[in-house]
Amino acid sequence: MALNKQTQAIRIQADKTGEKEHSTPVFLTSSFTFETAEDMRAAFADENDDNIYSRYSNPTVDEFVKKMCMLEGAEAGFATASGMAAVFNSIFALLKAGDHLICCSSVFGSTYALATKFLPRYGIECTLVSANAHDEWEAAVKPNTKMIYLETPTNPQLEILDLEWAGDFCKRHQLIFNVDNCFASPILQNPIEFGADIVSHSATKWIDGQGRVLGGVVVGRADLIHDIYMFCRNTGPSMSPFNAWVLTKSLETLDVRMERHCKNALAIASYFENHEKISWLKYPFLPSHPEYAIAKKQMRAGGGILCFELKGGIESGRKFLDALQLLSMTPNLGDTRSIASHPASTTHSKLSESERLSVGITPGLIRISAGLEHVQDVINDIEQALTSC
Ligand SMILES: *Cc1c(COP(=O)(O)O)cnc(C)c1O
């Protein structure tokens, strides 16, 4: 029977233990036993897909990976201990000294550090380009360019990059197309439909969705994932089976959770769009968003994040955070609980003002991750906090 994705995300299950359990079991074991020396030899010779050791594979981790591949439309995947382990291995396992990477300048902070500080140490060159300046991307291509790397929507400015254009760009120049799809989640956007070869996720965010565990996953073309798998099997960033169990249970509810996250975010964005204390507000599915048409083309809904600029600048940002009574002040996103952050006074406070502006961090920028609470309570809290700044 052909099943829809929503059903498969609920029904795909690891080997049963023989106890007829209904909910998915967790295989907390570091290794697996063999009946005969011949069976063990065959497993090590890759003549079958028996589990050997949980750094290589584990049934609970495989269940999570299988669901992620199904949701992204990918041939294969590998799960890692965190989102950064997925991002790191998706780049380092596929590039070598002498190769060149083109990377969007609006990427997650640790990814930016990886591209600018760590890649060059190993002889891998990187050119940073602006999100939607297609002429910069074209001009950056060199004979040794092997891969492009991007995120969309970007954090925290919510720029939308055109995945169809990027897919065509990679085809013309024969480049590996690597996308961090964390902000959209596999429910709202599937980059492989637009030609992506590799898709990574921080499962810590929407996929867990309840702020409990760290995790990451990289999925995509089987030949590339095989190289990533061999690299990871020897370097050891594997996901813990316990975290995989938490995350595979989370995938059973991801579709319904994303529906409510998006509905709440759109309601909050629409309510505050023209507020007197706010100079601009961005949400991908509001027609006022500069890349609204691209968002509509490649996303099924606008996502759970919105951002706005307070007219009062950096001081107002701090006052806003201090006045909140319900929203959490924490450096995370994609939780059942709504979260507010003020990058200029926290995550980016060590940069000078001009450095902050160059990466899109304006002084009064507030990022809201819409949770699953009753949306009126979230709106009321933001509204009362705005009166004090
Ligand atoms: C959080 C995040 C990461 C890193 O994930 P961790 O699980 O914290 O390692 C990577 N990319 C994006 C877009 C993120 O938001």
Side-chain angles (χ1 to χ4, degrees):
M1 186 163 65
L3 298 175
N4 288 298
K5 282 184 177 183
Q6 291 86 343
T7 308
Q8 291 189 54
I10 292 167
R11 290 285 175 172
I12 289 176
Q13 191 158 329
D15 299 342
K16 297 216 174 191
T17 62
E19 294 296 334
K20 301 197 174 102
E21 68 277 8
H22 186 214
S23 184
T24 206
V26 53
F27 289 85
L28 279 179
T29 178
S30 44
S31 68
F32 301 84
T33 58
F34 295 89
E35 294 292 324
T36 66
E38 170 53 22
D39 287 351
M40 193 160 173
R41 183 207 60 78
F44 271 93
D46 294 327
E47 288 169 13
N48 57 42
D49 53 11
D50 283 356
N51 293 298
I52 301 173
Y53 190 62
S54 288
R55 169 152 45 81
Y56 308 172
S57 67
N58 171 286
T60 315
V61 179
D62 288 350
E63 176 178 312
F64 170 65
V65 172
K66 211 182 258 179
K67 285 183 183 176
M68 284 301 302
C69 288
M70 180 274 300
L71 288 171
E72 284 290 12
E75 294 170 355
F78 187 78
T80 53
S82 70
M84 278 320 299
V87 170
F88 169 81
N89 286 287
S90 76
I91 298 173
F92 268 69
L94 300 178
L95 300 184
K96 59 180 187 316
D99 288 344
H100 174 239
L101 170 77
I102 300 175
C103 181
C104 178
S105 56
S106 333
V107 287
F108 187 68
S110 295
T111 308
Y112 188 86
L114 204 61
T116 56
K117 292 202 182 98
F118 297 102
L119 282 173
R121 276 200 207 169
Y122 300 94
I124 301 166
E125 240 189 304
C126 176
T127 304
L128 294 174
V129 290
S130 315
N132 284 305
H134 292 166
D135 51 337
E136 285 183 33
W137 291 73
E138 295 285 356
V141 179
K142 304 185 198 194
N144 60 339
T145 308
K146 287 282 157 59
M147 178 187 281
I148 73 160
Y149 183 94
L150 61 88
E151 290 169 21
T152 179
T154 66
N155 177 25
Q157 279 280 2
L158 301 176
E159 293 157 291
I160 306 292
L161 279 77
D162 189 335
L163 289 170
E164 190 180 12
W165 178 86
D168 175 63
F169 174 78
C170 289
K171 207 175 270 171
R172 279 190 282 115
H173 298 290
Q174 299 195 325
L175 308 175
I176 298 170
F177 181 8
N178 190 345
V179 181
D180 179 338
N181 200 29
C182 170
F183 256 50
S185 90
I187 301 298
L188 305 185
Q189 174 175 280
N190 298 121
I192 289 173
E193 287 173 7
F194 300 94
D197 299 301
I198 296 286
V199 175
S200 62
H201 281 280
S202 166
T204 315
K205 313 293 169 54
W206 304 110
I207 292 174
D208 173 28
Q210 286 144 93
R212 300 167 297 185
V213 298
L214 293 176
V217 63
V218 43
V219 301
R221 246 170 62 190
D223 58 330
L224 301 176
I225 295 294
H226 179 73
D227 290 348
I228 293 170
Y229 165 71
M230 288 313 294
F231 191 82
C232 290
R233 178 169 156 156
N234 289 294
T235 55
S238 317
M239 175 179 279
S240 129
F242 180 80
N243 286 8
W245 175 74
V246 170
L247 292 166
T248 196
K249 293 302 289 176
S250 296
L251 287 180
E252 296 185 13
T253 58
L254 183 62
D255 188 58
V256 289
R257 285 187 286 111
M258 288 314 295
E259 195 177 315
R260 175 69 81 88
H261 283 299
C262 294
K263 195 170 148 221
N264 284 2
L266 178 62
I268 298 164
S270 306
Y271 185 87
F272 290 105
E273 192 176 14
N274 299 308
H275 193 280
E276 56 174 1
K277 297 284 178 73
I278 291 174
S279 52
W280 53 258
L281 178 149
K282 268 166 98 176
Y283 181 70
F285 266 37
L286 280 183
S288 55
H289 190 290
E291 292 98 38
Y292 174 68
I294 306 170
K296 278 283 188 178
K297 180 175 72 169
Q298 64 196 30
M299 296 175 74
R300 298 181 191 100
I305 309 277
L306 61 129
C307 63
F308 54 79
E309 178 72 14
L310 293 170
K311 286 182 182 163
I314 197 150
E315 265 316 301
S316 284
R318 296 160 62 103
K319 284 186 192 152
F320 176 78
L321 285 192
D322 276 336
L324 289 168
Q325 294 172 13
L326 177 72
L327 273 70
S328 312
M329 224 192 285
T330 182
N332 199 7
L333 60 96
D335 197 296
T336 54
R337 300 173 177 181
S338 295
I339 296 166
S341 64
H342 178 227
S345 72
T346 57
T347 48
H348 295 72
S349 60
K350 291 198 182 70
L351 303 182
S352 69
E353 174 139 17
S354 67
E355 283 173 318
R356 276 201 292 273
L357 288 175
S358 76
V359 289
I361 309 295
T362 43
L365 182 71
I366 298 288
R367 185 188 75 188
I368 304 285
S369 171
L372 301 180
E373 304 98 333
H374 194 297
V375 72
Q376 194 57 51
D377 295 330
V378 181
I379 289 175
N380 290 348
D381 193 31
I382 297 174
E383 177 127 69
Q384 67 78 21
L386 283 173
T387 59
S388 62
C389 51

